[in-house]
Amino acid sequence: MSFYDELKLLSREQLKLALYSIGPAEVERALVNSEGDLSSLMALLSPAAEPYIEEMAIRAAEITRQRFGTNIGMYLPLYLSNLCANDCDYCGFSMSNKLKRKFLTADELQQEMNIIKGQGFDSILLVSGEHESKVGIDYFCSMLPLVKKQFSYVAMEVQPLEEDEYRRLVNLGLDAVMLYQETYNPTTYQKHHTWGKKQDYRYRVESPERIARSGVDKIGLGVLLGLDDWRLDALLLGHHLSYLERHYWRCRYSLSLPRLRPCTGGISPQTVLTDKGLVQLICAFRLFNQQLEISLSTRESASFRDNLYGLGVTHISAGSSTEPGGYSNPKSQLDQFEINDDRSSAETVNAMLAKGFTPVWKDWQSEWVNLA
Amino acid sequence: MLTLADTQFSSRLFTGTGKFSSSKTMVGAIEASGSQLVTMAMKRLDLKAGTDDILAPLKASGVKLLPNTSGARNAQEAVFVAELSREVLGTPWIKLEIHPDPKYLMPDPIETLKAAKMLCDKGFVVLPYVHADPVLCRHLEEVGCAAVMPLGSPIGSNQGLATQTFLKIIIEQANIPVIVDAGIGAPSHAMQAMEMGASAVLVNTAIASSRDPVAMARCFKSAVAAGRDAYLAGLGITSSVAQQTSPQMPLTAFLES
Ligand code: SF4
């Protein structure tokens, strides 16, 4: 049974009712019995847990320190392309947006990599919009070996692919795939994805299973917080995570928790997730899953990010650009979304060190992979 | 109800047939335990004689038989015993036990996985007896075993759940039933395994070697039922969090500003 089938058996109405009728006793119970328990996750995500935010933070900080020490993994996104054949009403790359479109040639890619490498990064996230013909599997296959030559850990955040396509990429050295569901509410999903292949909700929900079968090291899950009720979306994300851990135990999992940000032609959030809400969410997931990696992008402000180290976040990007070629030619107005923390990576790292945390640049050795 | 392969069991206590003083005590104890699945070593059956002091009374008692491969020292021998038992007893159910080490009877993980794969491919309902090794249990699930049977402590040692930490991980991760086997020496051990969320326990020595096996079987029956009920009701938690002192500067103070 795929997760899509499991999801169909869950009643959204009942889950929502349960989530909003949780009382303090259930939260207190969840605080000490949180690991791997979906009903505890529900309690910790509920409005009733808000007054317990400090207790949650103390516990989350303890667990995070025990499991990850003071380490914070450093990565940087590299945008390969802003071409996209979809319309998603929250994204600056939407096809109907008037925007200069480009995808990187091998030379341009090399230039970008030199700059990123020069800042000390060894872990990279390749990002692109969804454009089958120009930026499809063949393009990825031709670019990946170049990237793998320079970076030990290579992740991708592109359109969902077929299982054998993932396998081809893994054989070329791909380490991780990030693929966010955006929302687990099919109605809301349809509303925001108005054109293109991404409209296929089921294909997207089942993608992490195809990715897992390809033998990749890590899978990144996430929802776009603000599209729908964030508490319920986060809870279903927890269900998805535990399904995957049960069935594909050789993979590592990471979580991204992006809040909807302004972008050209984009919508504003339906439900606003406050800073406090985001802290609750991060702590809830840390209490639910001790091993889970949680990454935080530059969508969040500098001061907010600096306060989140230790509460559960394990990976951050710093000094990011969200446009293709943006490291060599900044501010060409091709961005996917506006960046909030615009400090350089050096500035970010200094602030991190001042808080007692340690940036980890290299945490992987590519030669060990695919030896068989 | 516990479902194993295609069979439902209302009792979560499985028992064995070894070490009883007489077959009468054995049958009495099995009946008192309420057990519906009873394991039996194929090597004990006297196939040539045709009659047997174990098999006949067991058959008459109506419990489901779970032949085991105890005595096998490698995968090949275990598969041979399983084939034999399917032929003689007419059941594809097999408790896979491979222990090349005659002193502690520690199960061999490598040969067990090998044999499990072969037997699953041949259509057996395989219940492997293994060390409490979470990764091995994952592998056994993947090759198609109907359940896993991790040990609590060395077989026959009555030492209880020495492997508790690892049993917890196995129970958390498994998509198939987890039956704690070996080492359960007292009803409290069985209850503890059930409280942790084990699907069932298998108890033999503790019952058979008791002064009054029939009474002890009854004690295990209630312990297993109580442990299961406690698991379902949700245990209260012993907490260290409540006594914790808060950091001088609250971790979430930045949210107020
Ligand atoms: S979210 Fe992805 S698919 Fe949708 S428009 Fe943006 S880049 Fe294209």
Side-chain angles (χ1 to χ4, degrees):
Chain A
M1 199 156 68
S2 84
F3 181 65
Y4 178 79
D5 299 318
E6 279 201 6
L7 203 53
K8 272 204 305 200
L9 298 177
L10 291 172
S11 152
R12 289 185 63 83
E13 282 64 41
Q14 274 174 22
L15 271 185
K16 192 158 182 170
L17 203 66
L19 181 60
Y20 284 90
S21 54
I22 274 166
E26 284 156 282
V27 177
E28 283 168 23
R29 187 173 181 281
L31 267 170
V32 286
N33 184 35
S34 56
E35 216 192 327
D37 185 330
L38 283 166
S39 56
S40 294
L41 179 66
M42 180 192 281
L44 297 174
L45 289 169
S46 75
E50 271 174 26
Y52 294 88
I53 188 82
E54 178 65 16
E55 281 90 336
M56 285 174 71
I58 294 173
R59 188 92 184 89
E62 261 179 18
I63 299 171
T64 306
R65 182 168 280 257
Q66 189 181 335
R67 170 65 183 80
F68 296 93
T70 59
N71 291 351
I72 304 284
M74 306 292 295
Y75 74 95
L76 210 57
L78 191 168
Y79 278 67
L80 293 172
S81 148
N82 63 3
L83 268 68
C84 194
N86 292 332
D87 268 326
C88 310
D89 64 7
Y90 49 80
C91 175
F93 289 176
S94 285
M95 186 175 70
S96 53
N97 254 356
K98 294 281 164 278
L99 186 76
K100 222 171 98 202
R101 304 287 174 165
K102 85 176 261 99
F103 62 94
L104 300 184
T105 62
D107 285 345
E108 289 166 327
L109 174 66
Q110 195 57 56
Q111 273 182 29
E112 294 283 282
M113 288 197 296
N114 291 344
I115 295 172
I116 296 172
K117 203 68 201 171
Q119 293 179 13
F121 289 95
D122 189 42
S123 170
I124 198 163
L125 170 65
L126 304 174
V127 187
S128 86
E130 171 156 6
H131 199 289
E132 217 50 50
S133 53
K134 291 202 175 114
V135 189
I137 181 69
D138 294 335
Y139 175 80
F140 299 138
C141 284
S142 67
M143 295 299 166
L144 196 56
L146 304 176
V147 182
K148 201 60 195 178
K149 249 186 228 159
Q150 301 223 34
F151 293 90
S152 301
Y153 203 78
V154 180
M156 261 185 147
E157 185 183 334
V158 304
Q159 67 270 29
L161 302 168
E162 291 297 320
E163 192 177 321
D164 61 317
E165 295 176 325
Y166 283 124
R167 204 163 282 130
R168 277 172 71 187
L169 294 168
V170 169
N171 287 336
L172 290 171
L174 182 66
D175 299 296
V177 180
M178 311 285 127
L179 198 121
Y180 310 137
Q181 185 54 39
E182 322 295 12
T183 176
Y184 288 93
N185 181 345
T187 317
T188 308
Y189 188 91
Q190 294 313 334
K191 204 174 111 207
H192 292 284
H193 302 102
T194 51
W195 182 261
K197 281 195 166 175
K198 195 170 174 178
Q199 286 181 298
D200 191 341
Y201 173 83
R202 177 175 188 163
Y203 189 67
R204 200 163 185 92
V205 169
E206 289 181 341
S207 295
E209 292 159 56
R210 291 195 305 278
I211 300 169
R213 284 193 291 266
S214 75
V216 80
D217 173 64
K218 180 159 74 182
I219 298 178
L221 306 172
V223 283
L224 187 51
L225 299 160
L227 282 187
D228 198 66
D229 181 326
W230 65 266
R231 297 181 199 275
L232 189 55
D233 261 344
L235 178 61
L236 291 166
L237 179 61
H239 278 262
H240 201 173
L241 173 66
S242 71
Y243 172 91
L244 289 167
E245 281 198 329
R246 257 187 293 127
H247 292 89
Y248 302 98
W249 54 278
R250 288 176 179 84
C251 285
R252 266 199 284 172
Y253 295 93
S254 79
L255 219 59
S256 288
L257 301 165
R259 285 193 276 190
L260 199 51
R261 289 279 305 150
C263 73
T264 322
I267 52 149
S268 31
Q270 285 301 310
T271 57
V272 177
L273 170 56
T274 59
D275 284 358
K276 190 174 179 183
L278 185 53
V279 171
Q280 185 187 349
L281 220 170
I282 290 172
C283 294
F285 270 99
R286 174 54 69 231
L287 265 63
F288 174 61
N289 189 316
Q290 309 206 348
Q291 279 72 38
L292 185 65
E293 298 182 3
I294 301 179
S295 72
L296 197 66
S297 78
T298 50
R299 284 170 185 256
E300 299 298 338
S301 75
S303 63
F304 186 56
R305 291 208 320 154
D306 287 352
N307 278 304
L308 289 185
Y309 301 133
L311 293 188
V313 171
T314 59
H315 289 72
I316 66 152
S317 52
S320 306
S321 161
T322 67
E323 54 187 321
Y327 295 105
S328 322
N329 302 295
K331 302 268 176 290
S332 326
Q333 313 275 297
L334 309 171
D335 323 41
Q336 187 181 28
F337 60 89
E338 280 173 32
I339 278 170
N340 206 335
D341 179 353
D342 54 10
R343 292 175 298 181
S344 70
S345 57
E347 286 170 304
T348 308
V349 163
N350 282 337
M352 181 190 293
L353 290 168
K355 292 246 169 199
F357 289 88
T358 320
V360 173
W361 302 95
K362 179 176 186 299
D363 193 21
W364 200 246
Q365 186 65 33
S366 2
E367 285 76 20
W368 294 346
V369 185
N370 293 326
L371 285 180
Chain B
M1 280 290 212
L2 167 65
T3 308
L4 265 184
D6 54 355
T7 309
Q8 294 212 315
F9 298 89
S10 54
S11 164
R12 290 172 182 269
L13 172 60
F14 300 155
T15 48
T17 51
K19 303 182 188 174
F20 285 98
S21 54
S22 72
S23 58
K24 188 162 159 271
T25 323
M26 176 185 83
V27 171
I30 291 171
E31 268 168 13
S33 75
S35 178
Q36 296 160 315
L37 186 71
V38 175
T39 188
M40 176 196 65
M42 280 304 288
K43 64 178 180 185
R44 288 282 313 274
L45 295 188
D46 190 347
L47 298 168
K48 288 202 190 90
T51 57
D52 191 278
D53 60 341
I54 294 184
L55 197 54
L58 277 180
K59 277 191 170 160
S61 75
V63 293
K64 192 170 175 68
L65 287 183
L66 177 61
N68 69 57
T69 63
S70 148
R73 288 156 305 173
N74 56 40
Q76 221 183 348
E77 290 177 6
V79 171
F80 177 80
V81 177
E83 303 261 28
L84 181 71
S85 87
R86 179 155 72 177
E87 203 184 301
V88 175
L89 302 175
T91 171
W93 287 54
I94 190 80
K95 180 177 177 226
L96 179 59
E97 291 184 35
I98 302 180
H99 14 72
D101 142 38
K103 187 171 178 195
Y104 291 108
L105 301 177
M106 284 290 131
D108 183 329
I110 295 160
E111 294 296 312
T112 302
L113 181 59
K114 233 196 275 175
K117 167 126 195 21
M118 290 194 261
L119 291 170
C120 289
D121 290 348
K122 288 171 187 276
F124 281 88
V125 174
V126 183
L127 293 87
Y129 165 62
V130 287
H131 207 295
D133 179 335
V135 174
L136 177 60
C137 289
R138 296 271 209 189
H139 282 297
L140 289 163
E141 180 180 324
E142 280 178 353
V143 301
C145 291
V148 284
M149 307 186 72
L151 55 80
S153 50
I155 194 163
S157 73
N158 287 349
Q159 288 178 52
L161 307 184
T163 56
Q164 193 182 7
T165 309
F166 306 99
L167 289 173
K168 273 191 190 148
I169 299 175
I170 295 170
I171 291 168
E172 179 201 317
Q173 295 179 335
N175 297 296
I176 51 178
V178 177
I179 303 159
V180 177
D181 185 6
I184 291 180
S188 56
H189 300 154
M191 196 192 284
Q192 197 188 358
M194 296 310 294
E195 285 170 359
M196 279 163 54
S199 314
V201 294
L202 193 147
V203 182
N204 181 28
T205 305
I207 293 175
S209 62
S210 141
R211 233 185 308 126
D212 183 346
V214 177
M216 188 53 87
R218 223 178 287 123
C219 299
F220 269 100
K221 181 183 182 181
S222 12
V224 167
R228 178 68 187 174
D229 287 348
Y231 168 71
L232 292 177
L235 290 179
I237 302 298
T238 46
S239 158
S240 58
V241 170
Q243 291 87 38
Q244 258 162 16
T245 50
S246 301
Q248 285 169 334
M249 171 74 166
L251 291 173
T252 52
F254 68 96
L255 291 172
E256 316 294 309
S257 57

